[in-house]
Amino acid sequence: MDYCRLLCMDMDSDGLVSQEEIMSENDTAKDINRVTGVIIKVSLKLIITALLILVLYEGMHAGFNFGYEIFADTAVSSAPGTEITIEVKEDATGRKVGKMLKEKGLIHNEYAFWVQSIFYDYTIYPGSYTLNTAMTSREILDELSVKPEEGENAS
C-alpha cells in the first residue's frame, strides 16, 4: 500500500488521519492561498495607484512652476542687484542666450527664458549688454531686443 492510501483510510482507533480531515486541511490551505493571493493583488493595486498619483502630482507641480516662471517671472535678486556685462554673438539663439544668462546668474530658468523669447516674439540682437540681477527675464528680453548702436554697449 502506498503512503497516501494509508493516510486516507478511515480508521478510528489507530491514530491515522481520516480522509475527511485530509480534505478539510486541503480546503483550509486552498482558502489561505486564495486569501493571500487577494491580499497581494489588492496591495499591488494600491502601490501602483499611489505611485501613479505621486507621478501625476509631481508632474503637475513641475508644470505649474514652469508656467509661473514664464508668466510671472521674478528677478534673481532684489534691487539694486549686481551689474553683469554679457556678449551676445551673431549666431546666438534664444536657447543659447538663455543658457548663458543662467550661467551668469541673471535668470532662474534657461528654458523658461527660451519659451518667453518665442511666446512674446522677441528678436535677440548680437552685441554687448550690461544687465542687472534685479531685472526680470522679460526686462532682460526687452534689453536684448533693442539693436545696440555700432561700437556702443547696451545697458
Side-chain angles (χ1 to χ4, degrees):
M1 277 190 167
D2 63 343
Y3 179 70
C4 185
R5 288 182 152 230
L6 283 174
L7 284 176
C8 293
M9 290 174 53
D10 190 17
M11 299 186 176
D12 293 337
S13 61
D14 60 4
L16 292 177
V17 180
S18 69
Q19 187 173 4
E20 289 83 23
E21 289 176 13
I22 291 174
M23 296 304 273
S24 172
E25 288 177 10
N26 283 341
D27 289 341
T28 303
K30 286 180 183 177
D31 288 342
I32 291 172
N33 287 340
R34 195 173 314 121
V35 169
T36 304
V38 169
I39 290 172
I40 290 172
K41 286 179 185 176
V42 169
S43 298
L44 285 174
K45 286 180 182 180
L46 287 173
I47 290 170
I48 290 171
T49 302
L51 288 174
L52 239 165
I53 289 171
L54 179 66
V55 167
L56 286 173
Y57 172 78
E58 289 298 323
M60 289 187 305
H61 188 262
F64 174 80
N65 285 338
F66 186 72
Y68 184 81
E69 288 180 22
I70 290 172
F71 297 108
D73 60 335
T74 58
V76 172
S77 65
S78 58
T82 306
E83 287 195 353
I84 298 172
T85 302
I86 64 163
E87 183 71 33
V88 177
K89 296 190 183 336
E90 189 73 36
D91 63 339
T93 62
R95 189 175 252 179
K96 287 181 183 177
V97 172
K99 184 175 182 180
M100 178 181 52
L101 294 172
K102 171 72 173 155
E103 289 170 356
K104 298 274 187 176
L106 288 163
I107 59 173
H108 293 289
N109 188 324
E110 64 191 83
Y111 301 111
F113 179 84
W114 176 58
V115 170
Q116 281 178 330
S117 72
I118 294 169
F119 186 76
Y120 295 118
D121 199 27
Y122 279 98
T123 301
I124 299 172
Y125 293 104
S128 182
Y129 297 90
T130 301
L131 305 171
N132 195 305
T133 56
M135 297 170 75
T136 66
S137 57
R138 289 282 302 271
E139 292 170 334
I140 292 172
L141 278 167
D142 287 338
E143 289 289 324
L144 298 178
S145 66
V146 175
K147 201 173 209 176
E149 298 296 324
E150 289 296 317
E152 180 182 308
N153 276 0
S155 54

